[in-house]
Amino acid sequence: FRTIQLDSETLGVLERLKSQQKSNREEYAEFYCRYFETPERTAASDPEPHILNTDGIGEEIFFLNVNADGSYIRPRTMQHASYVIHTELDFPEFDFHSLRHTHCTELLEAGFSPKAVQMRLGHKDIKTTLNIYEHITQSQEDKAAMILEDMYSSD
């Protein structure tokens, strides 16, 4: 678990999503799917702790990615969407995990410190961040060329 900073645009999207989900809960009423996490055991007969359930046992969990009726959107659904982008839309290098790589590269390109990006992505070793997740963009290549030009120009 880690805490990360979010920009105002992302926070706005999350607020709108929360509002839409509240509206959906009211509209679907008793048919809205609610999820709960079982609490720590206080007796041997208690259910296994930290198990997701729809029986109302424990604290309610509010997922971000749910259908209008509150039902959980399974990871396989996102994997399938990525597969469609990858194959049907002919983006051979894309998979869902690519978004983490893109986020890393964009943060570093924008001037985030490598250590801040490492912490944001939750990597134990900064080598993972820099050797696996960062990718060189055309913008970075162009900037390098300008720096070299400035360094070695005969002015």
Side-chain angles (χ1 to χ4, degrees):
F1 295 98
R2 61 191 168 279
T3 301
I4 61 170
Q5 295 291 321
L6 296 176
D7 59 282
S8 59
E9 184 68 28
T10 301
L11 289 172
V13 168
L14 292 173
E15 285 296 325
R16 289 190 298 278
L17 179 61
K18 183 178 177 181
S19 176
Q20 181 60 54
Q21 287 179 353
K22 181 179 180 197
S23 175
N24 289 345
R25 274 194 301 279
E26 291 168 2
E27 183 177 335
Y28 279 86
E30 72 270 12
F31 300 108
Y32 191 83
C33 189
R34 297 176 191 278
Y35 293 93
F36 300 83
E37 180 185 25
T38 57
E40 291 290 333
R41 286 183 165 161
T42 56
S45 60
D46 286 348
E48 188 78 23
H50 308 296
I51 301 294
L52 197 61
N53 71 85
T54 56
D55 302 322
I57 301 169
E59 186 174 337
E60 189 168 3
I61 302 294
F62 298 93
F63 290 112
L64 287 176
N65 293 318
V66 294
N67 294 302
D69 68 352
S71 61
Y72 179 66
I73 297 175
R74 302 198 180 282
R76 289 270 186 230
T77 303
M78 299 310 295
Q79 287 174 335
H80 178 70
S82 296
Y83 174 80
V84 169
I85 292 168
H86 176 76
T87 58
E88 305 294 322
L89 300 178
D90 198 27
F91 287 93
E93 299 299 318
F94 179 82
D95 65 21
F96 190 69
H97 194 74
S98 298
L99 298 175
R100 277 179 61 85
H101 291 256
T102 300
H103 186 58
C104 175
T105 299
E106 288 179 341
L107 290 174
L108 290 167
E109 191 173 45
F112 268 59
S113 76
K115 189 68 176 172
V117 176
Q118 173 198 357
M119 300 305 291
R120 185 175 184 87
L121 295 179
H123 294 150
K124 290 180 183 175
D125 189 339
I126 199 159
K127 291 180 198 173
T128 302
T129 306
L130 297 175
N131 293 338
I132 297 174
Y133 279 77
E134 181 181 24
H135 302 279
I136 301 301
T137 65
Q138 188 60 51
S139 172
Q140 290 168 322
E141 290 281 356
D142 294 344
K143 185 176 180 179
M146 288 190 315
I147 291 169
L148 288 169
E149 188 66 35
D150 288 344
M151 285 174 59
Y152 299 113
S153 66
S154 58
D155 288 354

